Amino acid sequence: MKPIIAARRLAAGLGAALLALAVMHPARAAYPDRPIRMVVPFPPGSITDVVARSLGKAMADDLGQPVVVENKPGANGIIGTHDVARSKPDGYTVVVVGVSTAASGVSLFKNLPYDPAVDLSPIGAVAETPYLLVGSPRLPGASVAELYAYGARHPGKLTYAYGSGSAQVFGAKWARMGGIDVTAVPYRGGPQALTDVIGGTVDLTFTDLANGLQQARAGKVKTYGVSTPERFPLAPDIPTLNESGAPGFNLTVWFGLMGPKDLPEPVSRRLAAALEKALGKAELKDAYAAQGLSVKTQTPAQFGAFVRAEIDKWAAIVKETGIEPQ
């Protein structure tokens, strides 16, 4: 009996030890096991918001957890992006970035509180789109060439609204190409800038295609051209800026997904896989196309290299336009 009792005691001791180990080192649940916060550093209705809401829904289907879009606007997207850069790198907080927040802002602000190439982890590219130059219906002329002529006759009279760093640079480059002096007016976001163009408070703005076309077709704004060399398929009647009087103008805006720096590789890989699957869905492509967006896919490594190259590219454009960093 003694060997049996000893064996039982040994088994009981091993069981207790294993239980203690389980308490000390509980098994980790598979990622993700709770909702993911997707920060949009611009207001509702902005093109970044449009990108995020369709994307969040499509990614949630694959991740098996809700992807909750949270608008955190302010300071040309800096507030929301910085919030994510400071977040815990556990995969439960991500941010939709773009030209303003992940590239041009490095040159537009003297003390940007984060470095997009260092303080954020690339997950992948998402989409790209041209911008549309629109103006108040009260402006004279119907082409860029006529706007340039008006601006030359009335230096400093034209006003230009911008709700993001990319829109600011687009406007400065456009004005420089025409050799005219345009007064830039900052806004909290693109929708607010467009609203004041419609109301006649300011004269011009670069806006996303969907909102711009909607207001143009309602007769509330004039359209002067899209920012790419080719006309946009959904609005073939609208000329490019090249055709309208700014030959050589060729800029687009893009969007991507990033998390805090030091995002664990398995988490980054899981998010990148869900992103890739989402961007392959016909429903998402159709939703984006209706908003003037086309899907753009890149791996985390490719997107990281792209961001670094874009920082240099937009630094050169900011220098060329003579914009003074804030």
Side-chain angles (χ1 to χ4, degrees), residues 43-64:
S46 63
I47 188 63
T48 312
D49 183 66
V50 170
V51 168
R53 293 193 181 276
S54 295
L55 180 64
K57 182 179 182 302
M59 288 184 67
D61 293 339
D62 180 63
L63 292 168

Side-chain angles (χ1 to χ4, degrees), residues 21 68 80 177 199 305:
L21 284 170
V68 182
M177 288 179 70

Side-chain angles (χ1 to χ4, degrees), residues 135-140 197-198 219-222:
S136 166
R138 295 182 293 185
L139 283 176
V197 169
I198 293 169
K220 295 181 178 179
V221 295
K222 285 185 175 182

Side-chain angles (χ1 to χ4, degrees), residues 132-135 139 143-152 158-160 166-183 203-206 224-227 240-242 244-247 249-251 317 320-321 323:
L132 177 65
L133 179 62
V134 300
L139 283 176
S143 70
V144 168
E146 290 172 298
L147 271 181
Y148 281 160
Y150 176 82
L158 285 174
T159 53
Y160 169 77
S166 55
Q168 179 186 11
V169 178
F170 272 55
K173 183 174 178 64
W174 173 81
R176 183 177 177 83
M177 288 179 70
I180 60 173
D181 180 17
V182 179
T183 302
D203 296 321
L204 299 157
T205 192
F206 272 97
Y224 291 97
V226 293
S227 64
T240 66
L241 292 174
N242 287 264
S244 188
F249 198 102
N250 178 18
L251 290 176
I317 296 173
E320 170 199 335
T321 57
I323 298 175

